[in-house]
Amino acid sequence: MTTTELQPATLPAVPTGLFIDGRWRDGARTFDVENPATGVVLASVADGTADDARRAIDAAAAAQDQWARTAPRERSEILRRAYELVIARTEDFATLMTLEMGKPLAEARGEVAYGAEFLRWFSEEAVRIAGDTTVTGDGRNRILVGRAPVGPCVLITPWNFPLAMGTRKIGPAVAAGCTMVFKPAPQTPLTALLLTEVLREAGLPDGVLNTVATTDAAAVVTEWVEGGKARKISFTGSTNVGKILLGQAAKTVMRTSMELGGNAPFLVCADADVDKAVDGAMVAKLRNMGEACTAANRFYVHRDVVDEFTTKLAERMSALTVGDGTAPGTDVGPLIDAAGLGKVERLVADAVAKGARIVTGGERAGETGYFYRPTVLADVPADAELAATEIFGPVAPVHVFDDEDEAIAAANDTDAGLVAYLFTQDIDRAWRLSDRIEAGMVGLNTGLVSNPAAPFGGVKQSGLGREGGRVGIDEFLEYKYLAIPKG
Ligand code: ADP
C-alpha cells in the first residue's frame, strides 16, 4: 500500500457549471452528485436545459468551419498537451472517479492511464489522415479522395468509465477536426467537467467542445439530435437508449456510432490452464465491480474442469475486501446506486429460485452504500434471467458444457455480441472457436481486451462502429471525392 492512498478523499477543485462557447456559465438550476459508498453529496452541478443545449450546439456549429481548417499538427499538439495535463493530474482524476462512482483508487488510477492514452493515441492519428488518388477505368478522369470532418458531433457517455469514455470520443473528434457537444452521465459529471477544463487549458479554441451535464438527458439530446445542426452522434450506454437515439438520428439522417450493452460469454475448455482462466475471470468479472459492458456475464466451463474452476474462483472472490474505494486495501467498491444494487439482488434471487447454488457471496454487504459481495453461482440453469441480462455487478454464474458445439450455441444465444473470452491451450481449437463466436472482440487466454490501440466495438445489438485503434478516427471523417478530368 502506498502512503498516497491514506488521505485521498478530499474532492479536488472542479468547475461545476455549463461549458459553452469557451466559457463556464451558471445554470438556471443544479443537481447533486452523490458518493455511492456513503450517500454523501459531493457537489452541486449546473443542470442543463433544452435552452442550454441549443446554445451549446449553436456554439459548436459556429466554430466548425474555422476548426476544420486548423492545421492537423495544431489539433495534434492540443491533444498531446491534454494528455500531459491529465497524467499530471492523475490523483485528482482518480480521486474524483472513486468519489463519484465508487471504483477503488487503484482501478481509478488505471483508468486515468487508459483514458489519457486515447488523447495521446489520437494526437498521433491527427497528422496521419490520408486519402488516395486513382484513375477512372476509361482513363479520362483522376479520382482524388480526401477526408473531411463530419461536422458537429453529439457525444454521450455513461457513468462506469467517466474519463475513458469521454476521451475515447473527444480524442478522435478533435483529431478529425469536428466540434462537439458533450453530455456526461448525471451520476459522474465531475470527471467530465474536469476533463473539459483540462482541454480548455490545453488550448482547445472556444466553441469546439461544449459540455452540458443534465438530469434531463432526453430534452438536451433531442435538441441536439433532432435540431438539424449536428451531423453525428457517438453514444455509449444501454442498448435500450441506443435504440431510441437511432430512431431520433433517422429523422436527420445523422451518422451514428453506438457502443451498447454486452453479455459476454467466458468459455473455459477442458484443456485450459485453469489457474490462468481463474486469473482472467477475476479481471473480466471484477474490473469496475462488474459494471462494464465487457464484463464476463456467463461462464461456460467444461464438465472436466468445472469443479476445479468454480472452487478456485470462489476462493479468490471470497478473499476480496469490499468497501469504500478510497480506503487502503479495498478491492471491490460499491455499485453505482440503489437501482444497480436492487437489480443484482433480484437477478441472484431469480437464479437461486430456479436451482442455482450460491458458492460464495449472494448478499449485499453493509447497511449504508450500495455494496454487494463478490458472488459465484454454480449449477445455473439456462433459463435464469441473468443469462439474458447484463448483471452489472460482481456475480459470476457458472454453467457446465460437454462439447464445443453446445458451448458455441450457448455463447451465441444472445442479441449481444460485444466481447467473448476463450481459455484453451489447443491452438486449433482457439482459432476454430474464435471464428465461430459472434462478437466484435475475443480475449484469448486473457480477461482484458480494452486498449486504445485496438478497435473496440460489437456486432449484433452491441452496436455500430468501432472506437480506438487505426479505424477509430474514421467514425468522425467523411470521404470527399474530387473528379478531375485528365488533361
Ligand atoms: P446506464 O443504464 O448505464 O445508465 P443509459 O443508456 O441509461 O445507461 O445511460 C447512458 C447515457 O445515456 C447517460 O449519459 C444517460 O444520461 C444518457 N441517456 C439516458 N436516457 C437518454 C435519452 N432518452 N436520450 C439521450 N440520452 C440518454
Side-chain angles (χ1 to χ4, degrees), residues 156-160 183-187 214-222 233 235-242 244-245 248 392:
I156 304 173
T157 54
W159 48 262
N160 56 351
K183 192 204 80 63
Q187 295 91 337
T214 181
T215 52
D216 195 349
V220 165
V221 176
T222 298
I233 178 166
F235 171 76
T236 299
S238 62
T239 305
N240 282 343
V241 173
I244 294 170
L245 295 174
Q248 290 188 293
F392 252 58

Side-chain angles (χ1 to χ4, degrees), residues 143-461:
I143 296 170
L144 191 143
V145 183
R147 312 299 303 275
V150 300
C153 296
V154 178
L155 312 180
I156 304 173
T157 54
W159 48 262
N160 56 351
F161 293 95
L163 179 66
M165 296 304 97
T167 56
R168 195 159 79 170
K169 299 184 189 308
I170 293 169
V174 168
C178 297
T179 61
M180 297 153 276
V181 286
F182 173 31
K183 192 204 80 63
Q187 295 91 337
T188 56
L190 299 173
T191 306
L193 294 170
L194 185 59
L195 174 63
T196 301
E197 174 62 12
V198 159
L199 283 152
R200 190 190 67 75
E201 287 171 23
L204 206 62
D206 293 354
V208 173
L209 174 65
N210 304 276
T211 305
V212 176
T214 181
T215 52
D216 195 349
V220 165
V221 176
T222 298
E223 191 64 42
W224 290 344
V225 178
E226 298 188 19
K229 289 193 173 174
R231 297 304 319 140
K232 184 201 164 64
I233 178 166
S234 177
F235 171 76
T236 299
S238 62
T239 305
N240 282 343
V241 173
K243 287 177 183 176
I244 294 170
L245 295 174
L246 283 168
Q248 290 188 293
K251 296 184 186 172
T252 52
V253 192
M254 180 177 281
R255 284 268 300 270
T256 57
S257 300
M258 295 276 147
E259 298 293 352
L260 308 178
N263 182 1
F266 188 108
L267 271 55
V268 184
C269 300
D271 58 54
D273 177 328
V274 173
D275 290 328
K276 277 198 187 137
V278 172
D279 287 345
M282 293 298 286
V283 177
K285 182 71 256 180
L286 287 170
R287 177 165 171 250
N288 227 39
M289 291 79 74
E291 294 173 319
C293 52
T294 51
N297 210 57
R298 299 167 291 147
F299 291 80
Y300 295 105
V301 185
H302 192 276
R303 191 173 301 279
D304 289 356
V305 290
V306 70
D307 288 343
E308 182 188 355
F309 176 84
T310 308
T311 305
K312 287 181 168 171
L313 183 62
E315 272 169 16
R316 293 273 296 275
M317 299 253 290
S318 59
L320 297 175
T321 303
V322 181
D324 187 326
T326 61
T330 292
D331 300 305
V332 182
L335 299 178
I336 187 69
D337 53 22
L341 175 64
K343 178 183 174 187
V344 171
E345 289 184 306
R346 190 175 51 74
L347 288 172
V348 170
D350 169 79
V352 169
K354 288 175 177 156
R357 184 166 51 86
I358 296 171
V359 186
T360 185
E363 57 185 2
R364 67 181 293 186
E367 290 306 312
T368 52
Y370 310 113
F371 298 96
Y372 197 83
R373 292 196 187 286
T375 297
V376 177
L377 300 176
D379 308 327
V380 178
D383 66 343
E385 216 188 306
L386 45 59
T389 312
E390 269 192 299
I391 302 167
F392 252 58
V395 177
V398 180
H399 310 256
V400 188
F401 74 85
D402 287 297
D403 69 62
E404 255 179 54
D405 286 343
E406 181 193 353
I408 288 291
N412 289 341
D413 185 20
T414 167
D415 287 334
L418 188 63
V419 59
Y421 303 93
L422 173 61
F423 283 76
T424 174
Q425 301 201 82
D426 176 333
I427 190 159
D428 292 332
R429 175 172 282 145
W431 284 110
R432 192 166 60 238
L433 295 191
S434 304
D435 284 350
R436 293 181 69 194
I437 289 173
E438 296 168 352
M441 304 177 284
V442 177
L444 180 57
N445 294 323
T446 176
L448 182 68
V449 296
S450 304
N451 190 289
F456 186 102
V459 299
K460 295 160 82 176
Q461 294 190 20

